[in-house]
Amino acid sequence: MNQDVIISIIEMLGTFAFAISGIRHAAAKQFDWFGGYVCGIAVAIGGGTIRDVMLSTTPFWMTTPVYIVCTAVALLTVAFFGRWMEPLKNAWFVFDTFGLALFTIAGIQKSLAFGQPVWVAIIMGCITGSAGGVIRDVLLNNEPVIFHKEIYAVACVLGGAFYWCGLLCRWPVELTSAATFAVICLIRFLAVRYHISLPILHGEEKP
């Protein structure tokens, strides 16, 4: 498979994973189907849209309706099978992590395909992976996860650095993508499991 096909497959899987995450968050807030769809589509395409605008190219979801349809499938999945998904502990977290990893990889690959240097591609991967979650949390009136002490965007950066190592080692793009996906997910899971976090900033206390 060529790189364009790989990017499309990764973006499709990431769209579904992020849409599931966004819709489940909306369901927890008792949103209706429309509200759930808006949250799902916002988190699914938000980061990629920002990336594409910065790359001066047409946003990926405007070239085909498949991403809109994919989010609709995610909505129906949660609506009709949500009760069977409930026993899966922290299922929303797993979907969110999968989406984070997949979109980070897609952002890196697309940026490299547009001739950007690796350090820019890593930043674009971080934006692609995490910006949609910020939009979702704003819509849900939650504090964005990216600003929590919990490892989130840092996992994107570390995953991007690992992808860079794969390029330097001349690994096949499929192997590099799969390994980077595993690294990002592992970092995220371990950070949450063992409460690993960055130092907290301490400012002046309000009177």
Side-chain angles (χ1 to χ4, degrees):
M1 292 186 294
N2 61 41
Q3 189 167 352
D4 289 339
V5 174
I6 294 174
I7 291 174
S8 296
I9 292 174
I10 290 175
E11 285 187 335
M12 180 68 60
L13 294 173
T15 297
F16 185 78
F18 260 6
I20 286 284
S21 171
I23 294 167
R24 284 180 60 82
H25 276 79
K29 290 270 188 172
Q30 301 295 308
F31 280 28
D32 61 15
W33 281 35
F34 179 76
Y37 185 85
V38 170
C39 287
I41 197 68
V43 69
I45 70 173
T49 300
I50 295 174
R51 173 204 64 207
D52 289 345
V53 169
M54 294 178 72
L55 292 175
S56 299
T57 186
T58 303
F60 69 102
W61 60 271
M62 295 178 66
T63 60
T64 171
V66 69
Y67 300 100
I68 306 299
V69 174
C70 184
T71 303
V73 172
L75 174 66
L76 295 175
T77 300
V78 173
F80 291 107
F81 301 104
R83 66 181 64 182
W84 288 280
M85 297 172 69
E86 286 303 322
L88 301 176
K89 185 178 180 180
N90 293 327
W92 68 267
F93 167 73
V94 174
F95 279 115
D96 188 69
T97 300
F98 286 173
L100 179 72
L102 291 167
F103 268 23
T104 298
I105 296 168
I108 293 172
Q109 291 183 337
K110 192 163 188 176
S111 299
L112 291 175
F114 272 73
Q116 298 295 329
V118 178
W119 65 271
V120 172
I122 293 175
I123 294 174
M124 289 294 187
C126 183
I127 291 173
T128 307
S130 60
V134 174
I135 297 172
R136 173 202 64 204
D137 291 337
V138 169
L139 290 174
L140 293 171
N141 199 30
N142 293 332
E143 181 180 354
V145 174
I146 193 175
F147 299 142
H148 290 180
K149 62 180 181 179
E150 179 182 297
I151 297 294
Y152 193 83
V154 173
C156 301
V157 175
L158 295 177
F162 183 87
Y163 192 98
W164 190 356
C165 291
L167 294 179
L168 294 176
C169 294
R170 299 185 181 279
W171 291 353
V173 65
E174 298 87 353
L175 175 60
T176 303
S177 299
T180 301
F181 174 84
V183 166
I184 294 174
C185 290
L186 184 62
I187 291 172
R188 188 97 163 90
F189 291 149
L190 290 178
V192 172
R193 174 65 178 82
Y194 295 104
H195 306 289
I196 301 171
S197 62
L198 297 175
I200 299 174
L201 289 172
H202 296 283
E204 293 184 19
E205 295 184 3
K206 293 182 178 180

